[in-house]
């Protein structure tokens, strides 16, 4: 027998204040429309999530419908594909907002096994593989290509305490690098200047010919997108490691 959808939220929350609205919500919308036989409940859940997403609704009502979708068989892989597809039509900011809610709903019953797995689940970008430039890093880092066309973009992830050596992006004109922090907490420092703390949303513009380093805080994972800025005769010169006493001191100060 088909499961009957029953809803009482209208009467529970607005029965005394708006009884007609409560009736329309509980008896018509959920009592009749949601129980109509032409399409199954799983499909209705998907349609509802996409409709709310398109309308920019990302409050508790969307969380409820995401939970409802999960309860009626929408898998983690399916919801990721649904939100990604809808994002192409309704807008990138809406996709980001809905993914934040969906991750909470679908992750709650899948505990991570390692610190790396737990951190990965906090990111929208993959951690990737061990960094092939690891010889120029203190500690373990990872590299994942995000885009290799037009503007090269890579997600660089640092384990706690990991940082790269001092280095310079050379170019006769143009060049340099942009960093966009997407997870965790870290630092960026230019030679002769105070370090800057990096948290999600921090953007760092690095001109060519500036000696600098960046990496994780000692107690936190850290990830940034690295965008290579086009330049004439661009190259990277790797220099000495950041002195351990300097790294320890800046962390103590911060």
């Amino acid at each position: 027998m088909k499961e009957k959808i029953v809803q009482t939220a209208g009467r529970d929350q607005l029965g005394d204040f708006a009884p007609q609205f409560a009736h329309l919500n509980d008896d018509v919308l959920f009592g009749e429309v949601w129980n109509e036989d032409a399409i199954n409940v799983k499909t209705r859940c998907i349609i509802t999530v996409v409709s709310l997403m398109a309308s920019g609704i990302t409050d508790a009502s969307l969380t409820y419908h995401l939970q409802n979708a999960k309860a009626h068989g929408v898998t983690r892989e399916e919801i990721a594909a649904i939100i990604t597809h809808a994002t192409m039509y309704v807008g990138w900011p809406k996709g980001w907002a809905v993914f934040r809610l969906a991750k909470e709903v679908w992750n709650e019953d899948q505990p991570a096994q390692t610190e790396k797995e737990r951190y990965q689940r906090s990111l929208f970008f993959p951690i990737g593989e061990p960094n092939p430039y690891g010889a120029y890093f203190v500690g373990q880092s990872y590299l994942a290509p995000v885009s290799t066309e037009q503007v090269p973009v890579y997600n660089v992830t640092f384990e706690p305490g990991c940082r790269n050596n001092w280095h310079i992006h050379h170019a006769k004109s143009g060049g340099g690098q942009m960093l966009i922090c997407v997870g965790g907490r870290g630092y960026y420092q230019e030679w002769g200047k105070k370090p800057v703390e990096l948290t999600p949303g921090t953007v760092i513009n690095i001109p060519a010919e500036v000696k600098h380093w960046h990496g994780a805080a000692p107690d936190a994972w850290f990830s940034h997108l690295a965008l290579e800025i086009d330049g004439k005769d661009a190259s990277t010169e790797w220099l000495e490691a950041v002195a351990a006493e300097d790294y320890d001191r800046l962390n103590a100060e911060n």
Side-chain angles (χ1 to χ4, degrees):
M1 180 180 294
K2 174 187 173 183
E3 177 188 1
K4 181 176 176 61
I5 302 298
V6 177
Q7 179 62 269
T8 63
R11 288 187 173 85
D12 293 343
Q13 299 179 40
L14 294 171
D16 294 334
F17 187 79
Q20 185 178 19
F21 181 90
H23 161 68
L24 293 172
N25 183 83
D26 294 353
D27 302 332
V28 179
L29 172 58
F30 286 95
E32 297 180 15
V33 176
W34 272 84
N35 286 298
E36 195 269 332
D37 292 329
I39 54 179
N40 60 37
V41 176
K42 179 178 177 180
T43 302
R44 292 186 187 279
C45 291
I46 294 170
I47 293 171
T48 303
V49 167
V50 173
S51 297
L52 292 174
M53 176 178 172
S55 300
I57 305 298
T58 56
D59 58 11
S61 62
L62 179 56
T63 299
Y64 166 81
H65 284 289
L66 288 168
Q67 293 169 335
N68 200 34
K70 180 182 177 182
H72 286 91
V74 177
T75 67
R76 180 185 174 120
E77 292 74 19
E78 286 174 332
I79 197 64
I82 290 163
I83 297 170
T84 299
H85 184 85
T87 296
M88 301 299 105
Y89 292 90
V90 306
W92 211 255
K94 292 177 181 177
W96 275 98
V98 177
F99 265 123
R100 290 188 181 96
L101 299 179
K103 284 182 64 178
E104 294 179 1
V105 172
W106 269 265
N107 282 346
E108 60 191 14
D109 59 353
Q110 299 184 26
Q113 300 300 310
T114 67
E115 288 186 13
K116 182 180 177 183
E117 289 171 337
R118 285 194 292 272
Y119 180 67
Q120 174 65 87
R121 285 167 52 180
S122 73
L123 293 178
F124 289 102
F125 299 98
I127 287 178
E129 301 299 326
N131 194 339
Y133 298 95
Y136 306 112
F137 287 66
V138 174
Q140 182 63 57
S141 64
Y142 304 87
L143 189 68
V146 176
S147 172
T148 57
E149 300 178 6
Q150 294 183 308
V151 179
V153 181
Y154 293 86
N155 184 38
V156 186
T157 294
F158 304 74
E159 289 189 356
C162 177
R163 62 272 190 191
N164 52 31
N165 292 1
W166 291 99
H167 58 286
I168 301 172
H169 301 293
H170 294 296
K172 291 183 178 179
S173 62
Q177 190 179 55
M178 178 186 293
L179 307 179
I180 303 174
C181 178
V182 294
R185 185 171 67 91
Y187 296 103
Y188 166 79
Q189 185 177 21
E190 295 182 2
W191 186 261
K193 295 185 179 181
K194 293 183 178 181
V196 177
E197 186 178 51
L198 306 181
T199 55
T202 304
V203 177
I204 298 293
N205 293 283
I206 308 171
E209 309 304 331
V210 172
K211 184 176 179 179
H212 64 283
W213 70 271
H214 34 101
D219 58 350
W221 286 73
F222 172 62
S223 296
H224 65 61
L225 299 183
L227 289 76
E228 302 298 326
I229 309 303
D230 190 36
K232 183 179 179 181
D233 296 333
S235 64
T236 299
E237 179 184 7
W238 291 99
L239 304 167
E240 73 275 14
V242 178
E245 56 270 26
D246 292 337
Y247 179 75
D248 294 339
R249 183 168 58 250
L250 78 86
N251 284 294
E253 293 172 352
N254 286 273

